[in-house]
Amino acid sequence: MSEWTQLWLNYERVRNDIKSVNITFSGFSEDNRVVGSMIDELRRGMYGLLGAEVSFGENGAGSSDTLKIEIKKNVAVKAEGYRISCKNSTVSVEAGDENGALYGTYHLLRLVNFGKLSDGCEVNSSPDNPLRMMNHWDNMDGSIERGYSGRSFFYVNNEIVVDDRTRDYARFMASIGINGVVINNVNVKDAASYLITDRYFGRLKELSDVFGDYGIKMYLSLNFASPIELGGMDNCDPLNEEVIKWWDDKCKEVFEALPNLGGFLVKADSEGRPGPFTYGRTQADGANMLADAVKPYGKLIIWRCFVYNCTQDWRDTKTDRARAGYDYFKDLDGKYKDNVILQIKNGPMDFQIREPVSPLLGGLTKTNQMLEVQIAQEYTGQQIDLCYLIPLFREVLDFKTYCQKEKDTVADVISGRAFGNKNCGIAAVINTGNDKNWTGNDMAAANLYGFGRLAYDMSLSAEEIAREWVSQTFRIDKNDEDLIVDMLLRSREIYEKYTCPLGIGWMVTPNTHYGPSVDGYEYSRWGTYHRADHLGLGVDRSSNGTGYAQQYYPENAEKFNDPDKCPQELLLFFHHISYDHRLKDGRTLIQYIYDTHFDGEAEAEKIAENWNILEGKIPEESFLRVKNRFERQIYNAKEWRDQVNSYFYRKSGIKDEKGRKIYE
Ligand code: GCU
């Protein structure tokens, strides 16, 4: 037993009737590194799930208790896709490339696990998104920005660690179809600036080789000011010839040493990070300069759109942080090189429990785009509170942008279906650390698993994914499985109910972002973020207010602009609403706030109670870890309920119609 858990790759015995598994390859070489990983996984998985020994190569007819698996190259299968079929107890896995074969193998193991491998079964799958990435916000001192699961397993004291855990990590990622990993924080500081120097090339090569064994490309976050910090120059102006030359030379050095590096991720001009704005240049100037430097090596620049001025004075009603991404990037649509991808957070603000979808997604039509979501639960309970995020991601993917008549959802845009791009996809800020169970809260692994599965197959529902995860993680009967699935599916709504209402966002403790602080927005020197007064609350982002609603295509702009048409869950994001305003169900806004906060807390208690039903049915350590998290969640939910209710009672002076206890 290793010191860490195997997450959903537990491979516990599911049946005993198969004694041996015989595997043959055609068109794939067993010497290929990815095929080598596939062979290891098949041995491990088939032994665990079936108790069967695995042999390779033709070995005669086999007996009735032998499962035959043929892994065949078929160039007609789409890149990284696979076909699985089962006839006369012989399984065939066909793929056009090694990654596809590896993903097909993991799918086959899932079928065995779910008891779904039987004659006649057919699976045909290929990834919806070309790029399916994890972004680590790990720092080289071992800390993790917004990490809630211990310290980094990539770095200890500014050294890169490559060990068995790294390999297990790569296995987990490949098993859910991840094909790119950014290994360092977007805020590149201190030792991380030196990742692009020979100080670290040796270890980086080792790490990228482990990833390469699992079909994963490694990426690095880049410091835009490297010419200053590493090159001793006095500027990093992207149009300066010497700066350009410095980057050209640097990229040659880096990609010669690290051929499996996929490229760079860049956070520029945001929250104190350097960028092209300092020199009066645009975001496109910055991104294109780097794109030219990496182009000879066929690499990518992933440029983040999380660019905003955190010190802006918003007392002027037109100034609005939510507008920033679109304002900075929209006019440059079409001006980016083909190996630039703009990485756009799902909402215009910052990973809140509820936000509208960013208008940049689909707002850009001539630029490669990638969606960025966060499974590290920064604003969504920090892996203490249960919050299954796949329903939120589903909503984002299904959002109709109206960027064209058909194929206009966010899923269409990021997959390349809308505009035919190849360099596009989806990335998540990951929720892992060196905790024994990887994700702090065992239940938070559902987000890790779910993100990968969804990134590969955007047709999966939140429930299907939850079921898959539960049944691979815990060996429990159907009723108990239903219980956990139900907890997961309700968790986001519960969290939303006891925290910030109707899309308003924040209200969290500044900087740490856990626990309530109604007025507590870190950049609040110009007043409260939520604009509550004695009459109402919410930010007017309509055409009378900041005008943010106008950044959408007309169909959405019209809807968001009008408080009567605006989806209720986003009402306070778009409008300043009075406390006595009647919502669709007849309740006043203030009553809605009281009700949801009482209900949310009560529902959190209920799911915590349900967890106790699982005592003795799942491993004790897991059971206790989650139980402890639920206790903390309830404490947190009570704090939120009481602080939010008291705050708005004091502001509005309106009592709860149901006479429940609100602290005065
Ligand atoms: C949030 C988060 C930061 C992070 C930033 C980003 O603001 O709190 O820790 O650096 O997002 O996405 O760059």
Side-chain angles (χ1 to χ4, degrees), residues 333-405:
D333 191 13
K335 303 239 158 60
Y336 296 87
K337 300 276 159 105
D338 194 46
N339 59 332
V340 172
I341 306 176
L342 295 187
Q343 185 166 299
I344 305 166
K345 284 191 183 184
N346 61 275
M349 299 298 273
D350 195 9
F351 302 134
Q352 302 300 292
I353 188 68
R354 178 78 65 177
E355 285 186 59
V357 169
S358 167
L360 268 179
L361 290 158
L364 301 169
T365 57
K366 299 190 255 339
T367 302
N368 297 323
Q369 295 161 63
M370 209 158 143
L371 172 65
E372 177 180 319
V373 297
Q374 192 188 42
I375 50 179
Q377 290 173 237
E378 175 177 357
Y379 292 96
T380 52
Q382 305 203 345
Q383 286 143 248
I384 298 167
D385 302 31
L386 182 65
C387 192
Y388 178 56
L389 291 163
I390 308 305
L392 188 164
F393 302 161
R394 269 252 61 95
E395 277 168 22
V396 173
L397 294 173
D398 295 339
F399 179 73
K400 260 181 95 57
T401 67
Y402 294 99
C403 62
Q404 54 188 8
K405 280 220 173 70

Side-chain angles (χ1 to χ4, degrees), residues 137 145-146 185-187 267 270-271 304 306 308 321 345 350-351 372 374 378-379 429 511 513 522-523:
W137 285 0
E145 181 152 336
R146 313 304 176 189
N185 188 357
V186 285
N187 296 312
K267 170 177 181 178
S270 175
E271 300 179 337
R304 296 178 81 224
F306 185 63
Y308 73 104
R321 171 176 166 180
K345 284 191 183 184
D350 195 9
F351 302 134
E372 177 180 319
Q374 192 188 42
E378 175 177 357
Y379 292 96
V429 180
N511 304 312
H513 299 165
E522 45 262 72
Y523 308 117

